[in-house]
Structures are given as C-alpha cells and as structure tokens.
Amino acid sequence: MARHVYPCPLRWSDMDAFGHVNNVTFLRYLEEARVDFMWRLAPGNGSDAFTGGVVVARHEIDYLKPLVHRHRPVTVETWVTEIGAAYLTVRYEIKDEDALYVRAATRIVPYDLDRGRPRRITPEEEKFLTEYLEPDPVKGAGTASGKAAGGTGEAGRREGAVTV
C-alpha cells in the first residue's frame, strides 16, 4: 500500500477575511494533488491511462482545523479506497507535521470525451490504482473491481465536521 504525497504551497490569495485558508481553496488543493497523482504519476511512459478524461461525481470534505498562511507547504496525501467497474474513490488528508486539517474523498468517473459518456476503468488503470488501494478509514476495507464495501460511512465522522 502506498500513498501519493504532494507538497502543496499556500498562496496569500488562499486566505479569506478571517485569516485562514478558504473552504473552497481546499478543493483546489485536492484537485492539484489528484491531477498530479492521475496524470503525472499514473502509469507514465506514453501510457494513455486516464487521458480520455474523468469527471468528479462527488466531493466530501471534513474540515478539522483552520489552516493559516505560512511559507512552507502542506502535505496532501492521496490514496484509493474503492475501485469499481466504472468509478473509483480517492481519499485525501491535508496535513503537516503538527496537525491534520482536512479529510476528504472524491468519487471519480472515467469519461469518454468523444462519446460524451462514462466509461469503464481499463485493466492498465486498475493495475495502477491497486498499488494505492488501502482500507477506507471511514467505511472499512478497501475494495476493488466492484466488490462491496462494509459500513455506512458515518462511523468515522467527527461531531461538527462539515460535509459538502
């Protein structure tokens, strides 16, 4: 099991009127890490994995602690918790050595841009994703190829967390 680690710089413009990273900006941090994971890292060497496009079907974010501007980047760890026939779930943690600021998940659907519809995950994509597959900290076990995951997803939520 591996996690993709992305050092994400903070920009002055990321701050809101209250002096911390704006909630929408966290989505941009997740996007930056996801793009680095799926298009820079995924399989590479002339592979066409994920080049047909993907769409985001759902985001879920738990804001755990305010993040204020500083010059050193935060770390965005990305891994896969579920691989279905035509979707995958990616989880993230935005953190540094002192704190965990955000836990999040994104449901991603591979998309055929030419046909204008979802498509199945290719064997090459599944092989790559499986290298980053680990149990979902909220639901329980990680799943591959459409196997059912246990749990409702509510057990790991913290009181006061915001889900979008």
Side-chain angles (χ1 to χ4, degrees):
M1 293 185 288
R3 288 189 179 189
H4 174 257
V5 177
Y6 178 74
C8 186
L10 281 68
R11 295 159 292 269
W12 183 255
S13 61
D14 295 347
M15 302 308 119
D16 62 16
F18 301 109
H20 52 73
V21 173
N22 183 276
N23 64 311
V24 174
T25 302
F26 281 108
L27 280 171
R28 290 187 193 110
Y29 294 170
L30 301 178
E31 178 184 51
E32 288 177 31
R34 185 174 62 252
V35 165
D36 191 65
F37 172 62
M38 294 182 75
W39 282 283
R40 185 191 62 81
L41 190 63
N45 298 325
S47 167
D48 64 355
F50 302 111
T51 58
V54 298
V55 294
V56 170
R58 177 183 179 156
H59 284 301
E60 184 178 301
I61 302 176
D62 292 332
Y63 299 96
L64 304 174
K65 184 175 180 175
L67 175 59
V68 297
H69 186 267
R70 81 284 183 90
H71 295 288
R72 71 184 192 285
V74 289
T75 298
V76 183
E77 290 188 1
T78 306
W79 68 97
V80 177
T81 58
E82 193 173 16
I83 305 169
Y87 69 90
L88 62 130
T89 302
V90 175
R91 284 219 168 254
Y92 320 79
E93 289 181 346
I94 298 177
K95 60 188 178 180
D96 59 24
E97 60 280 349
D98 299 322
L100 175 60
Y101 301 99
V102 166
R103 279 196 182 109
T106 301
R107 173 66 56 101
I108 300 168
V109 177
Y111 200 77
D112 184 327
L113 296 171
D114 294 332
R115 294 185 175 157
R117 65 179 192 196
R119 66 170 179 82
R120 292 189 170 273
I121 292 174
T122 68
E124 179 184 24
E125 291 166 343
E126 183 172 3
K127 182 180 178 198
F128 167 75
L129 294 169
T130 300
E131 293 175 31
Y132 294 89
L133 184 66
E134 68 178 66
D136 188 323
V138 175
K139 291 183 179 182
T143 60
S145 299
K147 295 177 185 173
T152 63
E154 297 299 320
R157 299 201 193 272
R158 296 175 187 244
E159 187 175 320
V162 179
T163 302
V164 249

